[in-house]
Amino acid sequence: MRSRTISMLHQNLVQILGEKRLSKVTKLMDHAFQIFYLIIVLGSWSIVFAYGYPEIEKSNHIHSFHQFTGFAVFVLCMGSWHFACHIGAGCITARTIPLFDHYEYDNILYTDKLCPTLNLRKIARSKYDRFSKRHVPRFDHYCGWLNQAVGERNYRWFLLFLVTQVFMCGYGTWAMWKVIYGEILDKDLLNAKFFNAVTGAEVEADYIIVFHYVFARHFQICGVILLMSVMSVMLGIFLAFHLYITSCNMTTNEFFKWRSVKRWHKKEKLKYEQALKDGKNNTKINAGVLSKQVAPDDGDVGCTGPVASEPSSDAISDDDIIDPGKFESKNSIAFFYLTPTILHTNASPLTTSVDYLAGPMPTNIYK
């Protein structure tokens, strides 16, 4: 349904714009996040250079050498972004498989099978990226700000880019705030008398009035402070998430996959316990079908997690009741024992029955 809608939309755009113009628009849209990033970053730094630096020169509360360190931070920021954009994540081909094939299959998230798009063996922790049309080793996610996938060969550069962005926003917020706060102290604005421009009445200073005064006087600098303070918090949280999953030796793709597995396990455990109370008889299920239910072929994975994908047609039906086994976490190790015993199904009987046990399964197994 979704693919049909996209196809119809594409045909309408071709009729309106033509094939060549649509191709140019598509190429431009591929870089939309990068263009937006440059507008925000270069625009903010232009304000800092044009309005913030003269105030730093006049201020008694921040040293003038911050004009040079600020420029160094700007160069470091743009340099890390350039390298993160141009160093590839790696590409798996028939010739390069030996270079990246250093992880074992866990038979839960990753099984030994062919990539249906490129017809290559899908090595553990890899994933096909439809944007670059490549099979990426140790795939983490697709980053629109870099316009490429993040994987085995460029993840360190992505982390460097993220660290420099957090430092840039935090440092810029502090430096510009020192300028504004210095003026508040020098002019003793919290004890000053203000006049209402409409009524002409004298008004005692408070935080809101001082904020209005400073914001009106230094609108550009205050706007940059607000933007950078919000971005430093958001990017700091995002960096903390990546440092956490890095310490667990997981990728963004794997983090959300394991979260899906836990949700599935909790749901099936409740169904299984209820079935036991109802006294239903035991039969067994094929392990291959269970593997598709636990770790289906996922869709795109962005910075904030996976994009919703269509469920596998081979997945276990909601009418099936199985024993999902144990799932517990101790010291960053998840012990996941799958004992796929099916108690009841409305579907036709399975021709193949096997017992399947996968465990223990540590979250940091991928070494």
Side-chain angles (χ1 to χ4, degrees):
M1 181 66 182
R2 186 169 132 194
S3 59
R4 191 186 311 164
T5 304
I6 293 174
S7 177
M8 290 175 61
L9 179 62
H10 181 268
Q11 291 175 5
N12 292 333
L13 288 174
V14 169
Q15 291 176 358
I16 297 170
L17 299 175
E19 197 71 50
K20 289 185 179 180
R21 287 182 182 175
L22 181 60
S23 177
K24 290 180 180 179
V25 171
T26 303
K27 288 181 180 179
L28 183 64
M29 290 303 296
D30 287 342
H31 298 277
F33 279 96
Q34 290 178 302
I35 294 170
F36 182 71
Y37 169 82
L38 288 174
I39 291 172
I40 295 296
V41 173
L42 295 180
S44 298
W45 274 106
S46 298
I47 291 173
V48 170
F49 291 146
Y51 297 94
Y53 273 32
E55 296 299 326
I56 291 176
E57 194 71 41
K58 294 184 293 184
S59 178
N60 297 320
H61 298 269
I62 184 170
H63 201 282
S64 59
F65 79 84
H66 284 284
Q67 296 178 65
F68 302 101
T69 56
F71 183 75
V73 170
F74 168 72
V75 172
L76 179 63
C77 168
M78 299 309 299
S80 67
W81 180 72
H82 171 80
F83 281 108
C85 287
H86 290 86
I87 295 179
C91 179
I92 298 175
T93 64
R95 296 181 62 184
T96 61
I97 279 182
L99 294 176
F100 303 111
D101 190 11
H102 24 251
Y103 302 107
E104 295 181 1
Y105 295 108
D106 59 15
N107 292 319
I108 300 177
L109 298 187
Y110 303 108
T111 57
D112 189 356
K113 59 183 179 182
L114 292 178
C115 170
T117 307
L118 300 179
N119 202 33
L120 292 170
R121 183 168 66 87
K122 191 173 182 180
I123 64 175
R125 308 189 77 181
S126 67
K127 184 181 180 303
Y128 177 76
D129 174 41
R130 71 178 180 88
F131 296 100
S132 61
K133 295 180 173 55
R134 294 179 177 181
H135 208 90
V136 178
R138 206 174 73 204
F139 178 86
D140 190 88
H141 70 281
Y142 178 83
C143 181
W145 307 108
L146 307 180
N147 193 34
Q148 69 166 339
V150 177
E152 183 168 323
R153 288 196 164 177
N154 66 348
Y155 186 72
R156 68 190 70 183
W157 291 102
F158 168 76
L159 278 184
L160 176 64
F161 164 70
L162 204 51
V163 168
T164 57
Q165 303 307 300
V166 173
F167 178 74
M168 175 192 71
C169 291
Y171 174 72
T173 301
W174 172 83
M176 292 298 97
W177 169 247
K178 289 287 286 185
V179 169
I180 298 298
Y181 187 64
E183 181 173 329
I184 294 173
L185 294 179
D186 290 341
K187 294 182 178 180
D188 196 19
L189 293 179
L190 291 173
N191 298 311
K193 300 290 184 181
F194 291 86
F195 292 90
N196 190 311
V198 177
T199 64
E202 190 177 89
V203 181
E204 292 288 338
D206 58 24
Y207 289 109
I208 296 176
I209 291 174
V210 171
F211 172 79
H212 278 287
Y213 170 81
V214 170
F215 201 88
R217 180 173 169 78
H218 301 288
F219 173 75
Q220 296 87 350
I221 295 176
C222 290
V224 168
I225 290 175
L226 290 175
L227 175 64
M228 288 193 296
S229 59
V230 171
M231 291 307 300
S232 62
V233 172
M234 294 177 63
L235 291 172
I237 294 172
F238 190 52
L239 174 62
F241 166 74
H242 272 279
L243 291 178
Y244 166 71
I245 63 173
T246 301
S247 68
C248 297
N249 199 17
M250 280 193 296
T251 64
T252 302
N253 183 37
E254 292 160 357
F255 174 83
F256 285 101
K257 276 187 170 183
W258 276 113
R259 198 167 73 166
S260 297
V261 169
K262 290 178 182 178
R263 284 199 301 264
W264 172 87
H265 181 270
K266 182 178 180 180
K267 172 187 168 185
E268 295 301 324
K269 193 69 177 175
L270 291 174
K271 287 169 58 179
Y272 175 73
E273 290 172 354
Q274 184 61 43
L276 287 179
K277 291 179 182 178
D278 296 341
K280 294 182 178 174
N281 295 325
N282 289 356
T283 55
K284 294 180 180 179
I285 190 169
N286 183 279
V289 178
L290 181 65
S291 177
K292 290 180 181 180
Q293 173 71 19
V294 175
D297 291 331
D298 54 340
D300 302 326
V301 180
C303 298
T304 57
V307 179
S309 58
E310 296 180 1
S312 172
S313 59
D314 296 323
I316 298 172
S317 168
D318 287 337
D319 296 324
D320 296 339
I321 301 173
I322 69 169
D323 177 8
K326 290 194 303 180
F327 196 119
E328 58 180 326
S329 180
K330 292 182 180 180
N331 301 324
S332 299
I333 297 179
F335 296 92
F336 191 44
Y337 298 93
L338 289 179
T339 52
T341 304
I342 189 165
L343 296 180
H344 175 71
T345 178
N346 291 334
S348 57
L350 298 168
T351 55
T352 306
S353 299
V354 292
D355 289 321
Y356 177 63
L357 177 66
M361 185 66 236
T363 56
N364 58 352
I365 192 173
Y366 310 111
K367 294 183 178 178

